[in-house]
Amino acid sequence: MSELMRKSHIHFLWALLIFALGTAKTSAQVAFTTTNPAEYSNYIVAEQEKIGEQFIEFSNLLLSSNDLKVNEDKRMEVVRQIELSLRRLRNMAPFKNGAKLRDESVAVFEAYRDLHINDYAKIAILVSNKESSLAALEDYFQMQVKAEKKMLDFAVRLRTAQNEFAKLNSLTLLHNGMQDQFDRILECNIYSREVFLQYIAIAKVNEMWWDAMEKNDFEGMKKQRTALLAAAQTSQLAGIKDFHGDTGFRDAAKGRVDFFVNMANKEYLEITRILESTQRTQEDVDYVNNTIDAYNSKNLALNDSFNAAHRDLKLKSLPAPSGAGSEK
């Protein structure tokens, strides 16, 4: 048989969203054994797909639910699926030329499990309190970025092992557009949260200025106004690049920051002067009240634009319909 005829063709996606040509059937009691490299690889791919479906459902839930019990139940469902997949992988016999792919897959799946037992347990708790303050939201996003960067690192590690196995066994790996789509899901999550973090670093100082104003803490108002301008000056928000050509979300965040800075340069100064004065006029009182009303109205509109831009960004990262991108 010629070398060309010997080659097997398989579709696989690194990371978690995968199409497999076939999945071998086995039981938990009998070691999975095959001399066909495509079947061997696809057996692992099938377990990746199961974990991937659970992970995406859990990630979407964290975005939409603040219910700790609901989030915890789903997190444990992911952990149970990972444990089940681990049992199946550990029960695989080594392939004829070694067990590296199996062992690397087990190591990566164990890393997925540990990530969901540790990091995502903390995230599930934080997400239930994420509306309580900008500081709590900041902690949540920082932990999410860290966890999802780990997910990417683990996925790259497994892809490397799969590529090495394919090369060693003369498998032709066909590019599938769904691989790019899943890539983009995690990249989009990391990108959007990094934009959020740059925005929150300034927004929370702005919030502190309003807290000080409500307490008639004039020194605090002056301190927070200065801190807000300093935070905006050192912010890296404007330097964040586009996400695959999209700048809408970053620009919406920058629009909110610019609004706070403009307020700090003019209105916050004037409000502080008026409230600190013991000789306010009715005109002064009207100015403060009208400024607060205008701030609330503008801030609400900017918030709506900010959320709409975030939704648009997330829509661009959604996976293609099942089967898209597969080609020989």
Side-chain angles (χ1 to χ4, degrees), residues 1 7 15 20 28 55 67 71 185 215 218 270 288 297 299 317:
M1 185 178 291
K7 293 183 180 241
F55 171 73
D67 189 320
N71 295 340
I185 288 172
K215 298 173 184 175
F218 307 128
E270 188 63 11
V288 172
S297 178
N299 195 39
S317 74

Side-chain angles (χ1 to χ4, degrees), residues 271-306:
I271 289 175
T272 303
R273 182 194 68 77
I274 290 171
L275 295 183
E276 199 172 18
S277 172
T278 58
Q279 313 209 347
R280 291 177 223 127
T281 65
Q282 184 59 46
E283 185 179 3
D284 290 333
V285 174
D286 290 342
Y287 173 86
V288 172
N289 289 333
N290 291 336
T291 300
I292 292 173
D293 288 343
Y295 170 88
N296 289 334
S297 178
K298 178 67 173 178
N299 195 39
L300 182 61
L302 288 172
N303 185 64
D304 289 344
S305 297
F306 184 67

